[in-house]
Amino acid sequence: MEYWQKDIETMGREQLQELQLKRLKETVKLAVNSPFYKEVFEKNGLTPDSIQTLDDLQKIPFTTKNDLRTHYPFGMAAIPIQKCVRIHSSSGTTGNPTVVLHSARDLDQWANQVARCMYMVGLRDTDVFQNTSGYGMFTGGLGFQYGAERLGALTVPAAAGNTKRQIKFITDFGTTCLHIIPSYATRLAEVMYEMGIDPRRDTKLHTVCIGAEPHSEEQRKRIEQLLGVKAYNCFGMSEMNGPGVAFECPEQNGLHIWEDYVIPEIINPTTLEPVPEGEIGELVLTTINREAMPLLRYRTRDLTRFIPGECPCGRTHRRLARFVGRSDDMIILKGVNIFPIQIEKILMNFKELGSNYLITIETVGYNDEMLIEVELSDLFTDDYSALERLAKEVTRQLKDELLLTPRVRLVGKGSLPAPEGGKAVRVKDLRKLC
Amino acid sequence: MEYWQKDIETMGREQLQELQLKRLKETVKLAVNSPFYKEVFEKNGLTPDSIQTLDDLQKIPFTTKNDLRTHYPFGMAAIPIQKCVRIHSSSGTTGNPTVVLHSARDLDQWANQVARCMYMVGLRDTDVFQNTSGYGMFTGGLGFQYGAERLGALTVPAAAGNTKRQIKFITDFGTTCLHIIPSYATRLAEVMYEMGIDPRRDTKLHTVCIGAEPHSEEQRKRIEQLLGVKAYNCFGMSEMNGPGVAFECPEQNGLHIWEDYVIPEIINPTTLEPVPEGEIGELVLTTINREAMPLLRYRTRDLTRFIPGECPCGRTHRRLARFVGRSDDMIILKGVNIFPIQIEKILMNFKELGSNYLITIETVGYNDEMLIEVELSDLFTDDYSALERLAKEVTRQLKDELLLTPRVRLVGKGSLPAPEGGKAVRVKDLRKLC
């Protein structure tokens, strides 16, 4: 077993927490130099000295994307702008964009973070790494570029688009690893087969890093099979630098989140309290290895849970489960938090069911009820008693998952509005507000 | 006067040549590790020891773009591919692309080269540098990104396109410098004025680096006036890393070519002999500060001349004049080398003439003759004697420039085929091959 930074990656919990506390204290001292955190600390009667233990982190209010927007462009900067060397900015299609600032040290540490992830999945300086991300402002471009160069791989900065050219690079340069979004990985494989190129036979590809798009275990398996590779899930977001925040190890069972870079919390997005260990909630991150723009208790809106127990790979940094959606998608019904992805997961288990479904929340008498309509697949019978048995089994499994009993209605293929481009509308909330 | 690397930038000629010879010898020793140069040296009875003086460089045959194509992808590599960390590749729209390989050391030196250029035109770590180049394979993106970060400027990796967003970044981030192609600089300024933004009043822009596209002194002046900036001409090509090969200093009179990175020669593209000092010819470059893929006597096809004399800025590295075209455009007539740009330059001096012209070379009897047809501008008279006087004066000035006498025919506006998109056809060669 080999590590990029063995001492840090396999550090005991106690020592890791000492490191976190040391870095947290430094981070807080820096953060209060920014106009934003200066005000937050003053308003809440806090000073850097208020943070003496890791638990003291809880004293600090959450930071949200909206805080970044309202303090655009430089209100979160903790060091003079002249000491920053890079800006990454979101597109800002609605309202002000969000901006993240980096010092030269920040970029250096980020490159190390990405190199550590790549090394973890077996990549070495002998690999040829092709990055199909957009470059420029999108952090998947420069983030992986710097990380892969740090690793010493031969980088092919292909950037996004032009599938034929991507394939020419893969075959001509002997590309062994791609960074690619999952839907494009499938597309790329399809085009290769159409061109008579079998990626398993005709290329040197052995690894792909997939991210930036939610995807299922089935999709990963399909990508692995089509391309003849191992596919590793990666998590990043521009507010936390970009790629490299958390990454799967060869076990492919959860993403190690680098706890020397961030302190992760998982909270109930309604009560804002920590969820019990192992339960799903919103990921909250505090940067502890960044100087230009520290973020304290940043609400990522991304939903996941900690995977309990030790990882056989020997790394001690905690693992996040596959992300299940965004907290903005959460439905609260009878005091229970429900995410559409939980329902989808159950429905997808039944081969008798198609992939189109609709969740309707409505007020019936004095009660709020959930109705789940789901299309049958092509294959299924119209035998009434078989349908009834199926509906019962689906309901039972949903009840186990959601802890409440939805009404389930099986409908014929094509009965529900078909998803057209972009995001399908899966939830209709028709509750009466009293 | 301040320099990025004073010792090197102001180095005396003798010392600079010593450095060049030392680096040339190292480069040749490396180069023969590549399959391509190994063969070139063997075929020509050369060994690295054949190079004992700078003049010995002449013993080595030229390298052409075609050599790069036929040794695609890795036949020019002088170190093991595993020691390379980046590939830049041309688009290869016709035939194989050309590939340039870089080691970590090469990228480090390239970043230094670009930082030196930026520092020369007055940029400092307090500047905000917005790069409007495409990123990925195009070297103007990553080349300037690494250089500007090395300088310590705050970089805005805007990448190409989306003019409104470029303008938002310029105003919101206080951008002081742009890297931009000349035609887009004009376009950007126009859009700003349309939006009611006066870049001279409403932005902090003070400098733009323009390159990658031929442009005239008038265009530079127009960009400077529209944006309220100083505009500096920069020269680069992917075969020589990318941006940073040569760059104007604040004198704006020629581009210093960094002679600790390359050895420049200017040759007659027909005879392949050096042109007399100060005459126009094809630029030939030998890399002397690159390890992954050295290029010896690489024919750039770009036409320029050395500007004689010392530069008031104190830098001792020779200056190249504004590039006047590509050697592929050269016309040879009666043993004289003529470039269409020479003719255009003369014609543009006459406000009585329009911008559309056509050069025809034809065999008349036993002689090859040049006919230049040029449209009159809107403004001009149809008074025959005035026309005759004009034609005579145009002919006289052309004769002075070209050292042969062309026939000149003034034609009405709209008589010549209008240039449609892309490159106008300016030269028709109708000579009979005997």
Side-chain angles (χ1 to χ4, degrees):
Chain A
M1 188 74 63
E2 285 182 328
Y3 306 91
W4 179 251
Q5 292 170 287
K6 186 174 182 187
D7 53 338
I8 288 176
E9 292 173 54
T10 63
M11 194 175 261
R13 179 60 35 187
E14 204 171 314
Q15 211 188 334
L16 190 53
Q17 286 181 337
E18 268 171 39
L19 178 66
Q20 286 186 319
L21 180 59
K22 177 173 161 283
R23 291 191 171 177
L24 175 62
K25 285 181 179 178
E26 290 164 359
T27 298
V28 168
K29 269 193 200 112
L30 260 176
V32 293
N33 294 331
S34 71
F36 172 72
Y37 282 116
K38 186 171 185 289
E39 196 185 322
V40 166
F41 271 62
E42 280 172 5
K43 259 195 190 161
N44 290 273
L46 296 169
T47 70
D49 286 338
S50 313
I51 310 303
Q52 292 301 331
T53 69
L54 284 179
D55 286 339
D56 289 338
L57 181 58
Q58 310 285 328
K59 297 178 183 170
I60 304 173
F62 295 105
T63 304
T64 66
K65 198 179 189 82
N66 198 46
D67 293 326
L68 266 69
R69 287 216 176 98
T70 53
H71 292 76
Y72 171 89
F74 299 146
M76 315 285 288
I79 62 172
I81 296 303
Q82 298 91 277
K83 296 207 169 152
C84 298
V85 301
R86 200 191 298 161
I87 294 178
H88 279 285
S89 170
S90 70
S91 60
T93 36
T94 55
N96 268 340
T98 56
V99 155
V100 179
L101 290 159
H102 302 272
S103 70
R105 185 190 177 280
D106 292 339
L107 293 185
D108 177 72
Q109 289 300 304
W110 180 15
N112 179 68
Q113 190 180 16
V114 174
R116 188 195 287 174
C117 295
M118 296 179 78
Y119 196 92
M120 177 164 66
V121 297
L123 298 169
R124 296 292 180 269
D125 60 4
T126 47
D127 276 291
V128 181
F129 172 78
Q130 185 166 327
N131 191 358
T132 69
S133 273
Y135 275 66
M137 282 299 180
F138 181 61
T139 55
L142 293 173
F144 264 105
Q145 184 65 37
Y146 281 57
E149 286 178 11
R150 176 67 55 88
L151 178 70
L154 176 55
T155 63
V156 182
N162 202 335
T163 304
K164 291 268 162 71
R165 191 163 166 248
Q166 300 280 3
I167 294 169
K168 185 169 172 59
F169 289 159
I170 291 170
T171 51
D172 291 359
F173 300 153
T175 299
T176 60
C177 176
L178 296 171
H179 171 229
I180 192 162
I181 59 175
S183 56
Y184 188 53
T186 316
R187 172 77 192 134
L188 187 77
E190 281 166 2
V191 175
M192 289 176 99
Y193 284 104
E194 280 165 22
M195 291 167 72
I197 296 169
D198 181 339
R200 295 164 301 188
R201 184 191 62 202
D202 306 327
T203 77
K204 293 185 179 166
L205 287 174
H206 57 63
T207 302
V208 303
C209 305
I210 48 175
E213 213 181 53
H215 59 280
S216 62
E217 188 58 30
E218 288 64 42
Q219 218 173 334
R220 181 227 296 267
K221 288 273 185 310
R222 191 171 151 72
I223 290 167
E224 291 191 328
Q225 199 180 23
L226 281 170
L227 290 173
V229 296
K230 288 286 246 178
Y232 296 99
N233 200 347
C234 46
F235 169 70
M237 61 192 322
S238 61
E239 297 95 318
M240 294 290 134
N241 293 348
V245 181
F247 219 90
E248 280 185 335
C249 69
E251 301 292 326
Q252 293 186 314
N253 179 27
L255 295 82
H256 289 282
I257 183 152
W258 299 120
E259 296 187 77
D260 57 326
Y261 278 76
V262 291
I263 298 178
E265 301 172 75
I266 294 181
I267 63 163
N268 179 315
T270 318
T271 65
L272 305 183
E273 294 297 319
V275 297
E277 183 78 18
E279 279 193 18
I280 289 179
E282 180 182 331
L283 182 66
V284 170
L285 295 173
T286 297
T287 65
I288 52 170
N289 194 21
R290 196 160 78 174
E291 61 181 13
M293 193 172 128
L295 289 176
L296 307 177
R297 305 194 82 201
Y298 183 72
R299 292 188 59 181
T300 67
R301 302 281 166 191
D302 284 309
L303 299 168
T304 184
R305 62 184 175 83
F306 286 122
I307 295 179
E310 288 175 13
C311 184
C313 81
R315 290 178 184 80
T316 52
H317 298 239
R318 273 181 292 177
R319 287 169 296 164
L320 301 178
R322 184 181 289 282
F323 287 80
V324 295
R326 307 271 301 161
S327 62
D328 315 275
D329 300 333
M330 189 176 72
I331 303 161
I332 308 176
L333 185 64
K334 298 178 179 173
V336 178
N337 299 335
I338 297 165
F339 302 103
I341 192 91
Q342 294 176 277
I343 294 166
E344 178 167 322
K345 198 180 70 182
I346 299 294
L347 299 179
M348 293 304 123
N349 283 339
F350 290 89
K351 65 178 188 313
E352 300 91 340
L353 301 178
S355 58
N356 205 5
Y357 66 93
L358 182 66
I359 302 163
T360 307
I361 318 290
E362 50 192 345
T363 308
V364 179
Y366 293 97
N367 277 317
D368 291 340
E369 303 280 354
M370 175 182 284
L371 167 67
I372 299 173
E373 294 168 286
V374 55
E375 292 185 1
L376 290 162
S377 77
D378 272 337
L379 308 163
F380 200 57
T381 173
D382 52 3
D383 171 340
Y384 178 76
S385 64
L387 284 172
E388 204 165 48
R389 274 196 307 278
L390 174 62
K392 254 193 186 155
E393 181 56 20
V394 172
T395 308
R396 194 189 63 75
Q397 290 198 18
L398 283 168
K399 186 184 165 192
D400 283 355
E401 173 72 29
L402 306 178
L403 309 177
L404 55 75
T405 310
R407 282 190 298 140
V408 171
R409 187 183 293 159
L410 306 179
V411 299
K413 194 174 155 71
S415 314
L416 297 174
E420 276 182 60
K423 238 181 139 177
V425 178
R426 297 297 198 192
V427 181
K428 264 163 83 176
D429 195 334
L430 306 174
R431 277 178 283 193
K432 289 177 199 134
L433 301 170
C434 45
Chain B
M1 187 74 66
E2 286 182 327
Y3 305 93
W4 178 251
Q5 293 171 286
K6 187 174 182 188
D7 52 337
I8 288 177
E9 292 173 55
T10 63
M11 195 174 261
R13 180 57 39 185
E14 205 170 309
Q15 212 190 332
L16 190 52
Q17 287 181 336
E18 268 171 39
L19 178 64
Q20 287 186 318
L21 180 58
K22 177 174 161 279
R23 290 190 172 178
L24 175 62
K25 285 182 180 176
E26 291 165 358
T27 298
V28 167
K29 266 191 204 118
L30 260 175
V32 293
N33 294 332
S34 71
F36 172 72
Y37 283 115
K38 185 170 186 289
E39 195 185 324
V40 166
F41 271 63
E42 279 172 6
K43 260 194 188 160
N44 290 273
L46 295 169
T47 70
D49 286 338
S50 311
I51 309 302
Q52 292 301 329
T53 69
L54 284 179
D55 286 340
D56 289 338
L57 182 56
Q58 310 284 326
K59 296 176 183 169
I60 305 172
F62 296 105
T63 304
T64 65
K65 197 178 187 84
N66 198 44
D67 295 325
L68 266 69
R69 287 216 176 97
T70 53
H71 291 76
Y72 171 89
F74 300 145
M76 315 287 287
I79 62 171
I81 296 303
Q82 299 91 276
K83 295 208 169 150
C84 299
V85 301
R86 200 191 298 163
I87 295 178
H88 280 285
S89 169
S90 70
S91 60
T93 36
T94 56
N96 269 339
T98 56
V99 154
V100 180
L101 290 159
H102 303 272
S103 69
R105 184 189 177 280
D106 292 339
L107 294 185
D108 177 71
Q109 289 300 303
W110 180 15
N112 178 68
Q113 191 179 16
V114 174
R116 190 196 285 174
C117 296
M118 297 180 76
Y119 196 91
M120 177 165 65
V121 298
L123 298 169
R124 295 294 180 270
D125 60 5
T126 47
D127 276 291
V128 180
F129 172 78
Q130 185 167 327
N131 191 359
T132 70
S133 274
Y135 275 67
M137 283 299 181
F138 181 62
T139 55
L142 292 174
F144 264 105
Q145 182 67 36
Y146 281 57
E149 285 178 12
R150 177 66 55 89
L151 177 70
L154 176 56
T155 63
V156 182
N162 202 335
T163 303
K164 292 267 161 72
R165 190 162 166 248
Q166 300 280 2
I167 294 169
K168 184 169 172 61
F169 288 159
I170 291 170
T171 52
D172 292 357
F173 301 154
T175 299
T176 60
C177 176
L178 295 172
H179 171 230
I180 192 162
I181 59 173
S183 56
Y184 188 53
T186 317
R187 171 77 193 135
L188 188 76
E190 281 167 2
V191 175
M192 288 176 99
Y193 284 103
E194 280 166 22
M195 291 168 72
I197 297 169
D198 181 340
R200 296 165 301 188
R201 184 192 63 203
D202 306 326
T203 77
K204 294 185 178 167
L205 287 174
H206 57 63
T207 302
V208 303
C209 306
I210 49 175
E213 212 182 53
H215 60 280
S216 62
E217 188 58 28
E218 289 62 44
Q219 217 172 335
R220 183 229 295 269
K221 287 275 186 306
R222 190 171 151 72
I223 291 167
E224 291 191 328
Q225 200 180 23
L226 280 170
L227 290 174
V229 297
K230 289 285 248 177
Y232 295 100
N233 200 346
C234 45
F235 170 69
M237 60 193 321
S238 61
E239 297 95 317
M240 294 291 136
N241 293 350
V245 181
F247 219 89
E248 281 184 334
C249 69
E251 301 292 326
Q252 293 186 314
N253 180 26
L255 295 81
H256 289 283
I257 183 151
W258 300 120
E259 297 187 75
D260 58 327
Y261 277 77
V262 292
I263 298 178
E265 300 172 75
I266 293 180
I267 64 163
N268 179 314
T270 318
T271 66
L272 305 183
E273 293 297 320
V275 297
E277 183 78 17
E279 279 192 18
I280 287 179
E282 179 181 330
L283 182 67
V284 169
L285 295 173
T286 297
T287 65
I288 52 170
N289 194 21
R290 196 160 77 175
E291 62 181 15
M293 193 174 129
L295 289 176
L296 306 176
R297 306 194 82 201
Y298 183 72
R299 291 188 59 181
T300 67
R301 301 283 166 187
D302 284 309
L303 299 168
T304 183
R305 61 183 176 84
F306 286 122
I307 295 179
E310 287 175 12
C311 184
C313 82
R315 289 177 186 83
T316 52
H317 298 239
R318 274 182 291 179
R319 286 170 297 163
L320 302 176
R322 185 181 287 282
F323 287 79
V324 295
R326 308 269 303 163
S327 62
D328 315 275
D329 300 332
M330 190 176 72
I331 303 160
I332 307 173
L333 185 63
K334 296 177 179 175
V336 179
N337 299 336
I338 296 166
F339 301 103
I341 191 91
Q342 295 176 276
I343 295 167
E344 178 167 321
K345 198 180 67 181
I346 300 293
L347 299 180
M348 293 305 123
N349 284 339
F350 290 89
K351 65 177 189 313
E352 300 92 340
L353 300 178
S355 58
N356 205 6
Y357 65 94
L358 182 66
I359 303 163
T360 308
I361 318 291
E362 51 192 344
T363 307
V364 178
Y366 292 98
N367 278 317
D368 292 340
E369 302 280 354
M370 176 183 283
L371 167 67
I372 298 172
E373 294 168 286
V374 56
E375 291 184 3
L376 291 161
S377 76
D378 272 337
L379 308 162
F380 201 54
T381 172
D382 52 5
D383 171 341
Y384 178 76
S385 65
L387 285 171
E388 205 165 48
R389 274 199 305 279
L390 176 62
K392 254 192 186 156
E393 181 55 22
V394 172
T395 308
R396 195 190 61 75
Q397 289 198 19
L398 283 167
K399 186 183 165 193
D400 284 356
E401 172 71 30
L402 306 177
L403 308 176
L404 55 75
T405 310
R407 284 189 298 138
V408 171
R409 186 183 294 159
L410 306 179
V411 299
K413 192 174 156 72
S415 314
L416 296 173
E420 275 182 59
K423 239 180 139 177
V425 178
R426 299 297 199 190
V427 181
K428 264 163 84 175
D429 195 334
L430 307 174
R431 279 178 283 192
K432 291 175 198 135
L433 300 170
C434 47

